[in-house]
Amino acid sequence: MVPGRCQTRVADADVELLPERALHWPQAGVLAVADLHWGKTESFQQHGIPLPLGVLEDDLARLSSALTATGARRLLLVGDLVHSRQGLTADVISRVNAWRENHASLEVVLIRGNHDRHVPTLPPTWRMEDREDALDEGPFRFAHHPEPAAGRYVWAGHLHPMVRLTGGADRLRLPCFHLRPGVGVLPAFSAFTGGLDVRRGKKDRVYAVAGTAVVEV
């Protein structure tokens, strides 16, 4: 087992939950992430809200780290890749272009989310397959909204799940993977997002992203 990763079995397939906030399906050579919200900082700045720089660079570096560590051949973007049309500035496009050139052989597929609807066409230099509908592969369905699908286990995003942990006087609120029967919700990949506290069902599994490790809680 690679330190920091959490290995589990879902729908008779072995998967890994990564501290980079990504799902790795080794058998298929797939890495899946959700809710990247590229250009969100730029969108806010255009409305006069000062925000720290470097958010996109940090997220791209973390994505590259996960791809390199896993050797994944395909990257599935499970919705809300782009935050808004206004945030898709020439500078954002250029920085993603440079990242894409560093992963030139990687196959990238976007399964559109609600934010992506604001950008009818992705920059062609990003070389991404652009899908309006869900993607079915093996026992899984990859879709932005966490809705069950007959005969498949769904991996989704949209909710930005968070889990609250308490221990004595210490309290933490961490991004998490929320695995329900039939549907698994990925944490928001971007660190610059809010989140929704999970409501755990009796058969749910919750895995917190705690720094450089993923831990079942």
Side-chain angles (χ1 to χ4, degrees):
M1 180 185 298
V2 178
R5 301 183 193 177
C6 186
Q7 296 179 337
T8 188
R9 193 161 178 83
V10 178
D12 293 326
D14 293 319
V15 298
E16 296 180 321
L17 311 178
L18 275 57
E20 290 88 349
R21 307 188 189 190
L23 168 75
H24 181 216
W25 181 13
Q27 183 180 2
V30 163
L31 189 78
V33 296
D35 299 290
L36 295 92
H37 289 274
W38 287 349
K40 184 174 182 178
T41 300
E42 288 74 12
S43 296
F44 277 58
Q45 289 173 339
Q46 289 180 33
H47 289 89
I49 303 173
L51 291 171
L53 300 174
V55 173
L56 178 59
E57 285 76 10
D58 290 346
D59 286 352
L60 290 174
R62 185 156 36 90
L63 187 55
S64 291
S65 175
L67 288 166
T68 300
T70 60
R73 303 180 301 276
R74 301 177 66 216
L75 174 63
L76 305 185
L77 306 168
V78 191
D80 286 0
L81 171 67
V82 176
H83 184 71
S84 71
R85 184 180 300 177
Q86 292 78 14
L88 201 60
T89 64
D91 185 53
V92 168
I93 293 172
S94 176
R95 283 182 283 168
V96 176
N97 285 348
W99 174 86
R100 190 68 179 95
E101 287 303 311
N102 288 332
H103 301 277
S105 63
L106 181 69
E107 180 183 346
V108 184
V109 181
L110 169 64
I111 299 105
R112 282 182 172 260
N114 48 294
H115 278 268
D116 301 311
R117 307 273 190 260
H118 303 305
V119 183
T121 305
L122 293 175
T125 49
W126 290 1
R127 292 182 289 113
M128 296 179 180
E129 180 185 341
D130 193 352
R131 297 180 62 98
E132 291 285 346
D133 53 347
L135 175 66
D136 291 342
E137 291 204 4
F140 299 135
R141 167 169 290 184
F142 296 90
H144 184 61
H145 291 277
E147 299 169 350
R152 294 185 185 274
Y153 191 89
V154 177
W155 291 106
H158 187 59
L159 298 181
H160 306 184
M162 306 286 289
V163 61
R164 291 183 181 271
L165 303 176
T166 58
D170 297 325
R171 295 183 179 182
L172 290 174
R173 188 170 184 261
L174 299 173
C176 67
F177 298 82
H178 185 194
L179 275 58
R180 312 192 316 246
V183 179
V185 184
L186 304 178
F189 185 81
S190 175
F192 184 49
T193 57
L196 181 68
D197 289 349
V198 299
R199 294 186 177 182
R200 187 196 299 259
K202 290 183 178 180
K203 296 183 179 180
D204 293 4
R205 290 180 284 165
V206 176
Y207 300 85
V209 179
T212 59
V214 175
V215 181
E216 186 170 8
V217 296

